Amino acid sequence: MNILTNISTLYRVPVDGAHEDVDAVSDAAVAWEGDTIRYAGPVAELPSDYADAQRFDAGGGCVVPGLIDCHTHLCFGGWRGDEFAARLEGASYQDIQASGGGINSTVRATRNTDIDALVAKAASALSDMAALGVTTVEAKSGYGLDRDNELKQLEVYRRLQSSQALEIVPTFLGAHLVPVEYRERRDDYLALLCEELIPEVAQRELARFCDVFIEENAFTLDEGRRILETAKSCGLGLKIHADQLSSGGGAGLAAELGAVSAEHLEYAAEGDIRAMADAGTVAVSLPIASLYLREPFLPARKWIDHGARVAVATDFNPGSAPSYHLHLAMTLAAVHQRMSPSEVLRGVTSHAARAIGLHATHGSLMPGYRADLAVIDAPDINHWLYHFRPNACAMTLKSGDWVERR
Ligand code: NIG
Ligand code: FE
């Protein structure tokens, strides 16, 4: 048994509570055995039979469930600082993409980078994320766009799962863009996805989810439906990059197909917001992408008023969101999406867990949950979000083991 004490405020975040209910306890302690939480509550009520447990000191900080970054494009070759500079001069994200840059340029770089180099690059990002208190990371393919290179990205995630501490939840995003070599025959690419790649990825358990980018210049609503229905029939969970740059009906499709989540959603129509709330599909907000693309931030109040669960993630990728700093996304969500600190905390814990199908085991500190937690050097979550700094996280526990202790 292990015990963490000297906690100013502990946030238990019960999975089915209301948005504002993060179940804060002051003067708290947490106990865990192996990879499982056994006790989380007032230090005064710690069971006495824990007397010979190993003890750790939280230094008076607050403790939250291990953070979950539920939307990243973790594995990619190269970077796109030149496009960032071009956008500052006035070029648009969609124009850059249409002229062969954007996602296409990262596809070229990813195809040209060998698997060992991709593993090393992603591992370095994961180690920084762990230091920030992140314990679980959803990670998409989508920069290979052919059989070998899509599988190469998923293989990177498989290797990372066994070579570093954080948990990776892989998503197949072969439908990120129609690759240039298929531009004149997109039906052939759809056939490759639906008849070969999705069944193979599912059968080899290389991914848990299938995602589609539904947008002008990417995939149409009908194509998205076909791809996701195929994925569903193969046993994969569903996600959609929906209504990011224009209103395309992706959010409504996510609700209709029973997707676990839809992401971005800045331009989602009112009726689709209601449909997602009713279906229990998590709305994953990605404020770092809004920041970099100067797009509107998700109107989170509207979503929450409709009863939707709003998660917050980084969208880490080399184009629209070149940062894996989840704390930055959280502070942006508070300031620009008008979410309360409690709602933001849910957005990176219980709601994020739900967006990757793990809410029965992750994203909460109730007994029986995974022993994943972060010790934050702040008296409470208000102070944490308000005082943005390089790293407010002092300690990170993943599956019962310390991965970070400063
Ligand atoms: O989530 N929207 C599509 N995909 C990514 C960006 C990918 C890129 O620019 O490389 C996103 O924003
Ligand atoms: Fe994304």
Side-chain angles (χ1 to χ4, degrees), residues 96-162:
I96 290 171
Q97 183 130 297
S99 62
I103 295 170
N104 300 294
S105 107
T106 299
V107 169
R108 287 190 292 277
T110 305
R111 288 177 178 177
N112 288 330
T113 306
D114 71 36
I115 190 161
D116 292 335
L118 290 171
V119 168
K121 181 173 176 176
S124 149
L126 286 169
S127 137
D128 287 351
M129 292 162 99
L132 291 165
V134 174
T135 50
T136 300
V137 177
E138 186 263 6
K140 303 174 196 295
S141 67
Y143 290 125
L145 307 188
D146 62 23
R147 180 179 179 279
D148 289 355
N149 286 289
E150 282 296 306
L151 296 183
K152 178 172 78 174
Q153 284 194 277
L154 296 174
E155 177 61 24
V156 166
Y157 298 143
R158 183 162 277 195
R159 288 200 198 174
L160 286 166
Q161 193 56 89
S162 54

Side-chain angles (χ1 to χ4, degrees), residues 71 73 80 93 103 143 176 213 241 244 264 315 317 319-320:
H71 180 139
H73 305 252
R80 294 184 351 233
Y93 181 76
I103 295 170
Y143 290 125
H176 201 184
F213 184 22
H241 276 70
Q244 177 186 8
H264 289 290
D315 195 19
N317 74 72
S320 62

